[in-house]
Amino acid sequence: MQLDGTGWRPARPLDAINPETSPADEGTMSKLARAPMLVTFAALAAFYVTYRGFAPQTLGDYGPEAAPAMSALLAGHIHSFFALEPAYGGSLLLRAPASLLAKALGADRLAIYRAGTFPCVLACGLLGAWLTTRMRQRSQPLAAWLPVLLVCALAPLLTDAVLHGHPEEALGGSLCVAAVLLAANSRATLAGLALGVAIVTKQWGVLALAPALLAVPEGPASRGARARLIAVAVALPAIQLLVAHLETAGAPAALVGGAQQAGFAHAFDLWWPLAHASRQLGFGSPPWWIVNWSPPGVVAAHAHELIVALSVPLGALVVRRRGWNPPVEACLALLALLFLLRCVLDPQDLYYYHLPMILALAAWESYTRRAVPWLTLSTLVLLYVVFDQIGATDSHTWADFASYLAVTVPLGGYLLARLLGHPIRRTSVIAPLSAATARQ
C-alpha cells in the first residue's frame, strides 16, 4: 500500500512501471533502443560480421564440405544434394533461399556463401534484440542491456565461425536459447519448432531438449505442452532423415555418422593428454613435416555421444533439486553448462564452438543480474586470450591445455553450483517471460 493525498491505495508492482515514461530512461541511448532500432542494428551488425569487418575472407570449411552440396541444391539436383551434404546439411536447406537470391543476381561462390551466412548471423542479433527489449521493460540499466546486445550481435566468436565456414553455429545457438525462452513463455509448439530447426541445423541442438522441457511452466496442461514440444522437435529431424533415405540410401548414415565422429584432436579439451601424434610430409618447396594429433579410438567414436548422454543426469539433478518447474534462469544455466561440456569434451574443440555457450550465458545473466554481465564478458575475453593469444600458433601445447582448463573448469563449477545450490529467488528483474505474459 502507498499513502497519497486521498489515503491508502494499492502499490503498483515494479514490473508494472512503464519504462517508456520513466524520467531516468529518457536518455539518447534509451530512445534508440526501441524494437525497430534494435532490429535495424541487428541487421547492420549481421552485415558487418558476414563480411568479417570487410577483411580478406575465404570460404573456410564451406568450400570443400558444403559448397558442392549447396551448388547441387541451387541447381535443383535434389538427389545430388543429399548425396553430397555434410553432417550439418540441414542448415544448407535453411540458407538456400538467401543463397538462391544471390545466385540469381549473378553472385560468385563467395558471395553466395555470404548471402547464406547473413540470416545465420542475423539470428544472433535478433536474440540480442529480444533480450534487450525484455531487460528494458524491467528497467534494467544501460550497463546491463547494452553488453548483452553487443555480445549477441558482434562477438568475435561470430566472425571466427564465419571465417571457418560454419555460420550455422550462430543459427543453432540462437535457436536453442530461443527454444528455452519460448518454452518458459508457455509457447511449447513454437519452442519445439525452434528446437527442431536447431537440431536440423546442427545435431548438438539436442542438448537444449532437457532445458526446454524443464522451462515449460507447471500446470494442468504442462504434460501436454511437453509432449507437443518433443513431438515437434523430433518431427523435423525425422523428416530430414526420411527424405535423405528416400533420395539416397547412404545419406542418413552420413548425417548421423558424421555427427558422431571426432577425427582429430586439439589441445583445448579434456582429452588432450590422451591424444597421439602422427607425422606426414607436406607438399611444398622445400617440403615440411606436418604433425597431426588424433584422439584415442574410443574417444573419437563416442565423445559426442557422451556429451549428449550427460544431459540426462544433469537434467535429473536439476529436477531433484528444483522440481519439474525450475525458474527459467536455472534452465538457461543448465543450457550454458551443457554447451560448455560440449566444448570441453569434444576432442576437436575450436574457438567458435563456444558461441552457443556464450549466447546462453548472456541470456542467463540478463535474467539474474541487474548490472553489467561480468561473467559473460570475462569469459569472452579469457577465451579470446586462450585461443587467439596463447594458442595463436596452433602448436597444440600443454600451455594451451592448461590455460583452457583454467578458464572452463571454474566456469563449469560455478554454473553447476548455481544449479544445485540455493534456489534463485524470483524478483521483478529476473521474472520469467511467462509471468510477464500473464500480466499483459
Side-chain angles (χ1 to χ4, degrees), residues 136-187:
R136 290 188 62 256
Q137 288 174 349
R138 284 151 182 78
S139 301
Q140 291 177 253
L142 173 70
W145 60 257
L146 184 59
V148 169
L149 177 63
L150 294 178
V151 165
C152 291
L154 292 169
L157 292 159
L158 279 167
T159 54
D160 193 66
V162 174
L163 173 66
H164 281 82
H166 291 284
E168 72 279 353
E169 197 83 10
L171 178 60
S174 302
L175 288 171
C176 286
V177 176
V180 174
L181 297 179
L182 287 168
N185 200 24
S186 300
R187 301 291 188 269

Side-chain angles (χ1 to χ4, degrees), residues 59 62 66-82 84-85 89 91-117:
L59 295 174
Y62 175 86
M70 178 64 85
S71 297
L73 180 62
L74 297 182
H77 304 311
I78 305 301
H79 179 85
S80 298
F81 166 76
F82 284 105
L84 295 169
E85 67 172 332
S91 70
L92 301 181
L93 294 171
L94 301 173
R95 293 147 63 180
S99 299
L100 183 61
L101 177 61
K103 181 182 179 181
L105 296 175
D108 58 10
R109 179 177 286 193
L110 179 58
I112 290 174
Y113 168 65
R114 284 171 170 165
T117 296

Side-chain angles (χ1 to χ4, degrees), residues 147-428:
V148 169
L149 177 63
L150 294 178
V151 165
C152 291
L154 292 169
L157 292 159
L158 279 167
T159 54
D160 193 66
V162 174
L163 173 66
H164 281 82
H166 291 284
E168 72 279 353
E169 197 83 10
L171 178 60
S174 302
L175 288 171
C176 286
V177 176
V180 174
L181 297 179
L182 287 168
N185 200 24
S186 300
R187 301 291 188 269
T189 303
L190 288 177
L193 181 62
L195 182 56
V197 175
I199 297 172
V200 167
T201 300
K202 273 286 184 78
Q203 286 87 342
W204 50 251
V206 73
L207 295 174
L209 179 58
L213 288 175
L214 293 175
V216 174
E218 197 64 35
S222 60
R223 289 188 178 180
R226 290 190 176 102
R228 289 198 311 275
L229 193 157
I230 294 175
V232 176
V234 171
L236 293 178
I239 292 172
Q240 179 196 16
L241 290 174
L242 177 61
V243 173
H245 175 74
L246 294 176
E247 287 294 331
T248 170
L255 285 172
V256 178
Q260 290 176 340
Q261 293 296 321
F264 54 91
H266 290 158
F268 307 105
D269 65 88
L270 193 62
W271 309 111
W272 170 249
L274 303 177
H276 58 275
S278 60
R279 296 199 309 167
Q280 66 182 46
L281 193 63
F283 295 100
S285 179
W288 69 95
W289 287 102
I290 300 175
V291 179
N292 294 317
W293 292 88
S294 302
V298 65
V299 173
H302 301 293
H304 294 170
E305 298 170 356
L306 173 63
I307 296 168
V308 175
L310 284 176
S311 64
V312 177
L314 284 175
L317 284 174
V318 174
V319 172
R320 180 179 178 85
R321 180 66 183 90
R322 299 176 180 274
W324 278 100
N325 186 30
V328 65
E329 307 91 280
C331 300
L332 289 170
L334 175 61
L335 182 65
L337 178 59
L338 289 172
F339 281 155
L340 176 63
L341 289 173
R342 175 237 171 176
C343 299
V344 174
L345 297 177
D346 193 330
Q348 53 193 33
D349 183 31
L350 292 168
Y351 180 45
Y352 70 87
Y353 280 24
H354 300 78
L355 177 58
M357 184 267 293
I358 288 293
L359 294 176
L361 202 60
W364 176 65
E365 287 205 283
S366 76
Y367 275 80
T368 58
R369 293 188 190 277
R370 184 172 177 80
V372 179
W374 289 113
L375 186 61
T376 301
L377 295 178
S378 60
T379 301
L380 197 59
V381 171
L382 290 173
L383 287 175
Y384 173 80
V385 171
V386 169
F387 281 90
D388 199 72
Q389 303 299 316
I390 299 176
T393 60
D394 199 29
S395 56
H396 304 299
T397 65
W398 285 97
D400 300 341
F401 173 73
S403 60
Y404 181 71
L405 291 190
V407 174
T408 54
V409 171
L411 175 60
Y414 176 76
L415 289 173
L416 185 62
R418 291 298 300 268
L419 273 174
L420 305 180
H422 295 292
I424 306 171
R425 288 180 290 180
R426 299 175 185 265
T427 70
S428 60

